[in-house]
Amino acid sequence: MSRSTIRSGDPKKVSTDLFCLTYGSLVSQLLKDSDTPEDVNKQLERMGYNIGLRLVEDFLAKTASPRCLDFKDVAEKIQSAFKMYAGITPSIVNWSSASDEFSLVLDNNPLIESVELPDNLLNLKYCNILPGIIRGALEMVQIEVNAWFVQDYLKGDATTELRVKFIKKLEEALPPGED
Amino acid sequence: MVIYSVLIISKSGGLIYHFDCYSVDTEIEKTLSFPLDLKLEYINQRITVTFGQRDGIKVGFALLAINGEDVNGRKLGDKDVLDEILNNEENYPINLKFGIPKLTTNEKIVLASMFHSMYAIAALQIQAPKNKDGSKSKSSCSGIEVLETDNFRLNCFQTLTGVKFIIISDLSPINPGSKESLLRKIYELYADYALKNPFYSLEMPIRCELFDSNLQTLLEQHEKTGVTTM
């Protein structure tokens, strides 16, 4: 997000190509630096987590949204965050009966716009930064979740499906004086 | 409306940012003769006027300098101010400078964590009030949002992640809602210029020039127009 665009009143407009290519070079560099694709998955998740910790403040500052009171709220917030930061609106599907688990279906995911996975990298979760971001961001608002891919377009599935599971509310980290 | 300072307190109660925009100049210099008609005492590592207000030197002022030389705690050079200098008639007439002492960084950190705890105490629900229909009201109270004294007002805004943004300003009554929007704008600046700086680590003091300069622009603008548009 460049500074000049913030001032001109446009909250964010940057070419998807640039975003996609930068991410691509990050992943390929990680592949060069580590031994196995599994390592890269882990690295990406960790990087995403650290991004999430910071990104959530940006989201809260710009949307002034109130605290989520149920997991449906959380799902909608994540959806609007995807709209804000990636320019796509994933659909929320496959709720578990206890309403503690849902899937985000990402059609036209900007991260994979021009990507094909070579055969030797079938273990690589190319977009593994996304579950990390979700986990980190929710942890900052005292919600612990698990997030993982169940379907991956790059591996021949029809679409990309990201599953999010609620684990617990982090009461001990709740700041006092919350409405 | 004049804003005196802006503070940011982290989730754990540490002061991570403070910015003093405006300070009232209270310093006053007087040449005095023996015996001194002010009562001075050593309180909180400062020589403080405790009694005998005169010529603008008020109770609570600290002794800042003697004959142009800065006082350091109880000492001036290697001499004890109270015992060796002020009690010695040979040193008179003497030129003394008084003023409201500036808070040191350590004191600011202490005050910030004190406010953090006060905020938490305020948020405790001491008596659970019941609504008319018998249901319990909200599960907890919010903390301190506004704190007013006879010469300043403190506005506090806590984010969902637990960071507190505080502005201390004068008591001008115009447009009370403008403080909340100003605090939100400061939050946006924090998200943009502190958190997006890859060299800033979370929960640590903010030392980012871009944040400083943008905050300054925001405050200047706010002071001029009384509204926040950015």
Side-chain angles (χ1 to χ4, degrees), chain A residues 1 3 6-7 50 53-58 60-62 64-68 140-142 173 175-179, chain B residues 119-120 123 140-143 158-163 184 187-188 191-193 195-197 200-202 210 214:
Chain A
M1 193 183 297
R3 283 195 185 97
I6 295 174
R7 291 226 177 87
N50 287 320
L53 296 183
R54 291 160 183 250
L55 195 64
V56 67
E57 302 275 15
D58 185 73
L60 293 173
K62 281 172 188 157
S65 38
R67 181 172 294 282
C68 291
M140 284 298 272
V141 287
Q142 300 86 38
E178 269 313 323
D179 291 334
Chain B
Y119 187 99
S140 69
C141 313
S142 82
Q158 177 170 261
T159 71
L160 295 185
T161 54
V163 183
R184 290 210 152 265
Y187 184 27
E188 274 181 43
D192 276 341
Y193 296 102
L195 293 180
K196 282 177 197 162
N197 180 348
Y200 170 70
S201 37
L202 295 176
L210 277 173
N214 280 280

Side-chain angles (χ1 to χ4, degrees), chain A residues 6-150:
Chain A
I6 295 174
R7 291 226 177 87
S8 65
D10 192 352
K12 72 149 219 147
K13 279 288 172 269
V14 57
S15 128
T16 3
D17 288 345
L18 179 66
F19 181 47
C20 168
L21 290 171
T22 318
Y23 185 68
S25 56
L26 170 77
V27 177
S28 69
Q29 186 63 45
L30 283 175
L31 279 167
K32 272 181 215 146
D33 292 348
S34 32
D35 310 324
T36 63
E38 284 80 5
D39 275 356
V40 177
N41 294 344
K42 235 181 260 165
Q43 281 280 352
L44 284 171
E45 214 271 351
R46 233 189 50 213
M47 289 167 113
Y49 175 76
N50 287 320
I51 293 173
L53 296 183
R54 291 160 183 250
L55 195 64
V56 67
E57 302 275 15
D58 185 73
F59 179 78
L60 293 173
K62 281 172 188 157
T63 60
S65 38
R67 181 172 294 282
C68 291
L69 296 175
D70 62 26
F71 211 42
K72 292 228 158 65
D73 250 1
V74 174
E76 277 160 29
K77 291 277 153 53
I78 293 177
Q79 195 181 34
S80 63
F82 263 102
K83 177 95 196 74
M84 205 167 139
Y85 294 109
I88 53 168
T89 312
S91 36
I92 303 166
V93 293
N94 294 344
W95 277 97
S96 68
S97 49
S99 293
D100 63 347
E101 223 178 308
F102 64 90
S103 289
L104 290 162
V105 174
L106 310 165
D107 299 318
N108 46 44
N109 177 356
L111 287 181
I112 58 169
E113 228 160 56
S114 47
V115 180
E116 289 172 41
L117 272 192
D119 292 339
N120 59 337
L121 289 180
L122 283 177
N123 284 336
L124 177 71
K125 295 174 185 156
Y126 185 81
C127 295
N128 216 26
I129 203 157
L130 295 178
I133 293 176
I134 292 177
R135 189 170 68 88
L138 289 179
E139 191 178 300
M140 284 298 272
V141 287
Q142 300 86 38
I143 300 168
E144 193 179 330
V145 295
N146 256 348
W148 68 96
F149 283 108
V150 286

